[in-house]
C-alpha cells in the first residue's frame, strides 16, 4: 500500500511540473508573438531582464528555495530581494518605455505584460511546489 502512495505522489508532482512547464512555454510564446506579429524585435529587450531576475537570489541568497517569501533579516538576503525586485520592475518598465517612445504598439505591450504575468506566476508556483515537496 505504501508503494502505491509513493507512485501517486510522484504522479501528482509530475503533473504539477508538466502544467508549470506548459504555462512557462505559453509565456515564452507570448513573448515571441509580441515581437513577431508586429514585426518589431525591440520587446526582446525584456528577455535580458528575465535572465537577470533570478541572478541576485542565486548569487546572494544561497540555495534556499524560500528566500523570497522568508522574512530573514540577513544583509545579503535583503540585497538579493531588492535587486530581484528592481529587475522585476525593469521587466515591466521596458515595454512601457518602448511604447511611450513609440517603438512598440500598445497591443505588443499588452502581450509583453501578459507574458510577464505568466512567467512570474510560473516561478511563484514552482517555488510553492518545491517548498511543499522536498525532493
Amino acid at each position: 500500500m505504501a508503494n502505491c502512495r509513493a507512485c501517486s505522489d510522484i504522479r501528482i508532482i509530475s503533473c504539477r511540473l508538466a502544467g508549470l512547464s506548459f504555462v512557462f512555454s505559453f509565456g515564452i510564446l507570448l513573448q515571441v508573438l509580441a515581437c513577431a506579429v508586429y514585426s518589431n524585435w525591440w520587446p526582446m529587450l525584456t528577455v535580458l531582464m528575465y535572465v537577470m531576475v533570478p541572478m541576485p537570489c542565486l548569487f546572494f541568497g544561497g540555495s534556499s528555495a524560500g528566500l523570497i517569501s522568508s522574512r530573514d533579516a540577513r544583509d545579503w538576503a535583503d540585497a538579493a530581494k531588492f535587486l530581484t525586485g528592481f529587475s522585476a520592475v525593469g521587466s515591466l518598465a521596458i515595454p512601457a518605455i518602448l511604447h511611450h517612445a513609440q517603438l512598440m504598439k500598445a497591443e505588443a505591450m499588452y502581450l509583453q505584460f501578459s507574458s510577464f504575468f505568466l512567467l512570474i506566476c510560473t516561478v511563484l508556483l514552482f517555488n510553492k511546489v518545491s517548498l511543499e515537496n522536498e525532493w
Side-chain angles (χ1 to χ4, degrees):
M1 187 71 174
N3 192 14
C4 288
R5 175 92 172 132
C7 290
S8 176
D9 289 343
I10 290 173
R11 286 185 187 139
I12 290 172
I13 292 170
S14 298
C15 288
R16 286 180 181 175
L17 289 177
L20 286 174
S21 65
F22 177 75
V23 173
F24 183 80
S25 63
F26 189 69
I28 296 296
L29 176 69
L30 284 177
Q31 176 79 30
V32 172
L33 282 177
C35 298
V37 169
Y38 299 103
S39 299
N40 184 3
W41 292 94
W42 279 105
M44 275 295 180
L45 284 174
T46 56
V47 172
L48 177 68
M49 295 305 286
Y50 292 155
V51 170
M52 289 178 57
V53 166
M55 293 300 163
C57 287
L58 291 175
F59 294 143
F60 301 123
S63 61
S64 173
L67 173 73
I68 297 298
S69 60
S70 72
R71 293 186 179 235
D72 273 347
R74 300 179 313 167
D75 293 333
W76 289 110
D78 288 341
K81 290 177 187 178
F82 174 76
L83 291 173
T84 300
F86 181 77
S87 299
V89 169
S91 297
L92 287 173
I94 287 175
I97 291 169
L98 289 173
H99 175 66
H100 181 72
Q102 297 177 350
L103 292 174
M104 182 168 67
K105 293 185 178 181
E107 295 86 5
M109 181 180 69
Y110 296 137
L111 280 173
Q112 289 283 323
F113 289 158
S114 301
S115 171
F116 176 76
F117 177 73
L118 285 176
L119 293 174
I120 290 299
C121 286
T122 303
V123 169
L124 292 176
L125 287 173
F126 178 76
N127 190 20
K128 182 181 179 195
V129 167
S130 65
L131 286 176
E132 286 177 2
N133 302 314
E134 293 298 325
W135 321 352

